[in-house]
Amino acid sequence: MVAALGFATIACFLALAFSRRVSVLVALILVPIAFAIVGGWAPDLGEMVGDGLLKVAPVAIMIAFAVLYFSLMVDVGLFDPAIRRIVRWAGGNPTKIAVGTAVLTLLVALDGDGTSTFLITISALLPIYQRLGMRPVVLTGIVCLAAGLMNMIPWGGPTVRAMAALDLTSADIFTPVLPAMGAGVLWVLFAAYMIGRTERKRLGVTELVSPGDGGPGTPHVSDPPMRTRRHRAVMAFNTVLTLVLIVILLFQLVPLEVAFAIAFALALAVNRPKWADQQALFAKHGGNVTMVVVMILAAGVLTGILNGTGMITAMAQTFVSWIPQSAGSLIPVITAVTSMPLSLVFTPDAYYFGVVPVLAETTSSFGGDPAEIGRAAILGQMTTGFPLSPLTAATFILIGLSKVDLGKHQRFIFGWAFGTTIVMTVVALFTGALSL
């Protein structure tokens, strides 16, 4: 009976998410509550929901301050010098332009926000592509690969959802897959090189007006700010602070929510000391923060009820009875290989909050580590990782800015995107992040 209610809860949630009859936020909260009432758990709902909210609160706090921090860094132009240097280095060589596109996207995507990443990279590089005659689908494809890979960072969509759904930390999910992510970076650069080489064979090398001299090759980045002494000091501070933050992340020196809260407060005090400027920042980026944080808290309601009622355990036990003992150890690898193609039919919320917890509990029943399911899922990246699916707005922002047809974009880059998942999965197996 408990397992049946659990499957019904997940099925109802997925059906509503797919049909878009209600928002995912509403489904995350009301569907589990309704089925808990049907199952007779109404008196315990307050405690279960409260437990679920408390478990995801650190993740919600971390993502709020992380988005605000990197949004501020983008606004003040921390990445603008990198944009100019990359474009200047690439010149009129399509191969270098393609590789430069990947490098630039890897840097800008540190903010974990696909929208800002696409706005910056497409507006900076599309004029260059047009000037050289390079196909816009090459731009969308390479940006898609690099931005998808960078969404593995702990404040990116897939990893945040995995941590919230499984009640785990970045040390459990993200840190073990760092070597695999490094291999993914090399693969993305290789893919960009191969794609760019094809464009070079088609077009040759074109003389391009240097960025900044007003010609048609000038990238659309913000104008160089006044090089005052204070400006140089502030940018040096921002660079050092960001590097320190990354070191703290990699070595897990303090909880991430604490690190980002302190870093954002310091950055805000230095870059936006006036209250009016701080309000403007919150007004500009507050909507994105609110949307993500509220979604994570709503997921806490779902996971709190599924765990508190025992539905997750009952569903996993049912799965265990269906799966041969010899195949139990393969669940993490199967999850990694299939999660990326499934992004075309699952929304990220439906997959991470509806499917991943059941897979994790099933793996645990076979004696495996449930954290491996979280790692496997982010290796596949899902929708937010590879903007290919029509189920996510990020895809339409990317192709809309570049004026590329969705089907053409999908056909062009799907193989390279799936290859990224395979490469990272193999490395994860060799390094022990996943096991057989």
Side-chain angles (χ1 to χ4, degrees):
M1 176 64 178
V2 176
L5 282 173
F7 286 121
T9 301
I10 298 299
C12 185
F13 167 64
L14 294 177
L16 291 174
F18 287 152
S19 67
R20 300 189 179 183
R21 293 184 181 277
V22 299
S23 70
V24 173
L25 175 67
V26 172
L28 281 170
I29 296 174
L30 295 186
V31 169
I33 288 177
F35 279 95
I37 292 173
V38 170
W41 290 289
D44 303 316
L45 269 176
E47 183 179 352
M48 289 187 289
V49 170
D51 288 343
L53 290 173
L54 287 175
K55 287 180 179 178
V56 301
V59 177
I61 294 168
M62 184 270 291
I63 190 66
F65 284 113
V67 171
L68 286 172
Y69 178 83
F70 281 106
S71 296
L72 175 59
M73 291 298 106
V74 169
D75 284 354
V76 300
L78 180 65
F79 303 107
D80 283 0
I83 295 175
R84 293 189 182 88
R85 287 188 178 92
I86 289 170
V87 174
R88 189 179 299 117
W89 165 78
N93 187 329
T95 304
K96 288 186 175 181
I97 288 288
V99 175
T101 299
V103 173
L104 175 61
T105 307
L106 291 169
L107 291 174
V108 176
L110 269 172
D111 68 348
D113 178 22
T115 300
S116 65
T117 298
F118 301 150
L119 286 170
I120 292 169
T121 54
I122 301 302
S123 62
L125 294 172
L126 184 58
I128 309 294
Y129 275 70
Q130 293 171 336
R131 176 70 177 85
L132 294 178
M134 294 176 68
R135 294 171 294 167
V137 73
V138 171
L139 175 59
T140 62
I142 295 174
V143 169
C144 168
L145 286 179
L149 178 72
M150 289 305 293
N151 252 352
M152 289 178 67
I153 54 180
W155 52 93
T159 307
V160 164
R161 289 179 174 89
M163 289 190 295
L166 301 180
D167 187 27
L168 296 172
T169 67
S170 62
D172 300 314
I173 293 181
F174 175 70
T175 304
V177 299
L178 269 173
M181 185 178 181
V185 170
L186 295 177
W187 171 263
V188 168
L189 294 175
F190 170 74
Y193 172 80
M194 296 301 294
I195 293 170
R197 194 172 70 165
T198 300
E199 287 294 278
R200 179 174 177 172
K201 287 180 180 178
R202 187 174 68 89
L203 299 169
V205 177
T206 304
E207 187 68 28
L208 185 64
V209 179
S210 297
D213 62 7
T218 303
H220 291 181
V221 295
S222 57
D223 294 331
M226 293 291 292
R227 297 295 177 182
T228 63
R229 181 177 298 178
R230 184 185 185 282
H231 172 77
R232 289 194 296 269
V234 169
M235 294 308 290
F237 172 83
N238 290 338
T239 302
V240 171
L241 182 61
T242 302
L243 292 175
V244 169
L245 197 56
I246 292 173
V247 170
I248 290 174
L249 157 69
L250 295 178
F251 292 96
Q252 300 291 318
L253 301 180
V254 298
L256 287 189
E257 61 272 19
V258 176
F260 273 113
I262 295 173
F264 174 66
L266 290 172
L268 191 64
V270 172
N271 290 272
R272 296 285 188 268
K274 295 181 181 178
W275 173 235
D277 293 336
Q278 294 176 6
Q279 285 181 307
L281 176 75
F282 293 134
K284 182 178 180 181
H285 301 290
N288 290 336
V289 174
T290 300
M291 225 164 71
V292 177
V293 169
V294 171
M295 192 69 72
I296 295 301
L297 294 175
V301 177
L302 173 67
T303 56
I305 290 175
L306 289 178
N307 283 298
T309 58
M311 291 182 189
I312 281 286
T313 302
M315 285 188 288
Q317 289 171 347
T318 302
F319 270 128
V320 168
S321 67
W322 296 343
I323 300 173
Q325 187 69 34
S326 59
S329 62
L330 298 176
I331 296 175
V333 174
I334 293 172
T335 300
V337 173
T338 60
S339 59
M340 189 266 155
L342 285 176
S343 69
L344 298 177
V345 294
F346 275 96
T347 66
D349 297 310
Y351 184 78
Y352 281 96
F353 300 134
V355 178
V356 167
V358 179
L359 292 175
E361 189 66 27
T362 303
T363 295
S364 180
S365 299
F366 279 103
D369 182 0
E372 288 193 19
I373 295 297
R375 297 169 200 157
I378 68 171
L379 289 175
Q381 292 298 285
M382 293 304 295
T383 312
T384 53
F386 292 119
L388 286 167
S389 171
L391 301 176
T392 176
T395 302
F396 293 99
I397 293 171
L398 176 63
I399 64 175
L401 290 170
S402 307
K403 297 181 175 59
V404 173
D405 177 71
L406 175 61
K408 188 176 182 180
H409 169 67
Q410 290 174 323
R411 289 190 297 273
F412 179 79
I413 207 62
F414 182 87
W416 288 109
F418 191 50
T420 311
T421 294
I422 298 301
V423 168
M424 291 195 296
T425 300
V426 170
V427 174
L429 285 168
F430 274 110
T431 58
L434 297 182
S435 58
L436 287 174

